[in-house]
Amino acid sequence: MTEETEFETYLSITPNKFGIYVFDTKNSNNLYEEEFELQSINQNLNDKVLIKFLEKNIFKIEKLTGKFVKNIYLLIESNNILNLSIGIKKKNYSNIIKNKYLQNILTDAKDLFHENYLDYKIMHIIIKNYLVDNIHYSKLKSDLKGDQLCLELSFLSIRTDLCKQIEKILENYQIKVIKYVDKNYLEDVFKASNLQISQMAHKILNGHNLNEVKIVPKIVKKFGFFEKFFQLFS
């Protein structure tokens, strides 16, 4: 789970729209929101238009909240996003499927992705299917036993050159991107709801999808059983 703060700032970038939202975590609604429709659909980021949009809104947000915007969540829709499925299988020598065993499989899959897709940054790792001794499970149980586990994983990633382009613009405002989020993934998870995009993002970042693997810093912290299973260290 991400650390709760009073306000979270989300910047949304799509081929036809920019949006910025200040989400009040206590009241679960937007304290501030502004959107700008682009004149034409453009898969290539227009730096000048984005800079103008940020200049118009960052100062307003800081005046409203009384705080500098230091961190931002980037919600992005782009043809530079790669959706890749990976299947990985590993023998289990301890019979019961333990935390360390699953973490090793997930780490192997993450390392395999990095080795083959050097120009991409991982945004989401989602476990689509579990096969334990050829038996399918939609979710992993705490007491599951098996000699072999196979995982089907979905990696959603973004080109690093686009990340650098966005981060260079935000550096002018001393703002750091702390997480990239696939906007289409959000809308797919919450397609039957009427939630605002910032509400969707907040829920996903705080563990709404139990089959999403979280990549977290190497810090000492106590986790519950399922949190242990779905934490990967960066």
Side-chain angles (χ1 to χ4, degrees), residues 74-76 81-84 110 113 121-127 153-158 179-186 189 200-201 204-205 209 211-215 232:
L74 208 297
L75 316 179
I76 190 150
I81 291 176
L82 175 67
N83 187 344
L84 180 73
K110 179 169 67 74
F113 179 91
K121 177 185 182 68
I122 296 172
M123 294 190 293
H124 309 279
I125 304 174
I126 303 149
I127 302 176
L153 304 169
S154 176
F155 282 77
L156 297 173
S157 60
I158 183 171
K179 175 69 177 175
Y180 286 87
V181 180
D182 185 341
K183 188 171 181 287
N184 285 333
Y185 164 56
L186 293 182
V189 171
M200 297 179 193
I204 284 294
L205 291 167
N209 185 355
N211 277 348
E212 180 173 353
V213 179
K214 298 295 182 183
I215 301 176
L232 266 191

Side-chain angles (χ1 to χ4, degrees), residues 11-14 16-21 34-38 45-51 53:
L11 175 63
S12 174
I13 296 176
T14 75
N16 63 344
K17 183 191 293 184
F18 294 147
I20 194 163
Y21 316 92
E34 183 70 26
E35 296 179 338
F36 177 74
E37 298 277 353
L38 301 175
L45 180 63
N46 189 318
D47 289 16
K48 291 182 179 178
V49 178
L50 179 58
I51 289 169
F53 177 76

Side-chain angles (χ1 to χ4, degrees), residues 18-223:
F18 294 147
I20 194 163
Y21 316 92
V22 178
F23 185 71
D24 183 340
T25 59
K26 293 182 179 179
N27 297 305
S28 296
N29 59 22
N30 285 336
L31 180 70
Y32 180 91
E33 61 180 288
E34 183 70 26
E35 296 179 338
F36 177 74
E37 298 277 353
L38 301 175
Q39 293 182 351
S40 61
I41 295 176
N42 189 354
Q43 291 290 348
N44 296 315
L45 180 63
N46 189 318
D47 289 16
K48 291 182 179 178
V49 178
L50 179 58
I51 289 169
K52 187 175 180 180
F53 177 76
L54 291 170
E55 286 177 348
K56 177 183 176 182
N57 289 284
I58 294 298
F59 176 74
K60 289 181 180 179
I61 291 171
E62 292 178 338
K63 186 177 180 180
L64 178 66
T65 62
K67 298 179 181 179
F68 290 113
V69 179
K70 296 180 179 179
N71 300 312
I72 208 163
Y73 296 95
L74 208 297
L75 316 179
I76 190 150
E77 176 188 331
S78 171
N79 60 358
N80 287 294
I81 291 176
L82 175 67
N83 187 344
L84 180 73
S85 292
I86 293 178
I88 192 161
K89 182 166 59 176
K90 196 167 186 177
K91 179 75 175 175
N92 179 31
Y93 295 99
S94 62
N95 193 24
I96 297 175
I97 295 175
K98 296 181 179 179
N99 170 42
K100 186 64 176 177
Y101 166 73
L102 183 55
Q103 279 190 343
N104 287 340
I105 294 181
L106 294 171
T107 299
D108 288 346
K110 179 169 67 74
D111 292 344
L112 180 64
F113 179 91
H114 283 311
E115 288 171 9
N116 290 278
Y117 296 91
L118 298 174
D119 295 330
Y120 283 85
K121 177 185 182 68
I122 296 172
M123 294 190 293
H124 309 279
I125 304 174
I126 303 149
I127 302 176
K128 307 297 287 187
N129 286 300
Y130 303 87
L131 277 173
V132 180
D133 293 344
N134 294 319
I135 299 174
H136 176 267
Y137 295 88
S138 60
K139 295 180 181 179
L140 201 61
K141 301 176 181 178
S142 60
D143 58 350
L144 203 58
K145 296 180 180 181
D147 296 322
Q148 187 171 262
L149 174 64
C150 179
L151 296 180
E152 181 189 344
L153 304 169
S154 176
F155 282 77
L156 297 173
S157 60
I158 183 171
R159 286 192 61 87
T160 53
D161 53 358
L162 178 57
C163 295
K164 290 176 181 178
Q165 183 182 0
I166 295 170
E167 288 167 8
K168 185 177 181 180
I169 293 171
L170 290 171
E171 281 176 3
N172 295 322
Y173 308 92
Q174 291 79 51
I175 297 174
K176 180 181 178 182
V177 178
I178 54 176
K179 175 69 177 175
Y180 286 87
V181 180
D182 185 341
K183 188 171 181 287
N184 285 333
Y185 164 56
L186 293 182
E187 292 173 344
D188 183 59
V189 171
F190 296 101
K191 56 189 172 185
S193 76
N194 294 318
L195 294 175
Q196 297 174 312
I197 194 67
S198 54
Q199 293 172 316
M200 297 179 193
H202 179 76
K203 285 180 176 291
I204 284 294
L205 291 167
N206 285 274
H208 176 84
N209 185 355
L210 297 179
N211 277 348
E212 180 173 353
V213 179
K214 298 295 182 183
I215 301 176
V216 299
K218 290 183 179 179
I219 56 174
V220 178
K221 181 181 177 182
K222 292 183 179 180
F223 296 106

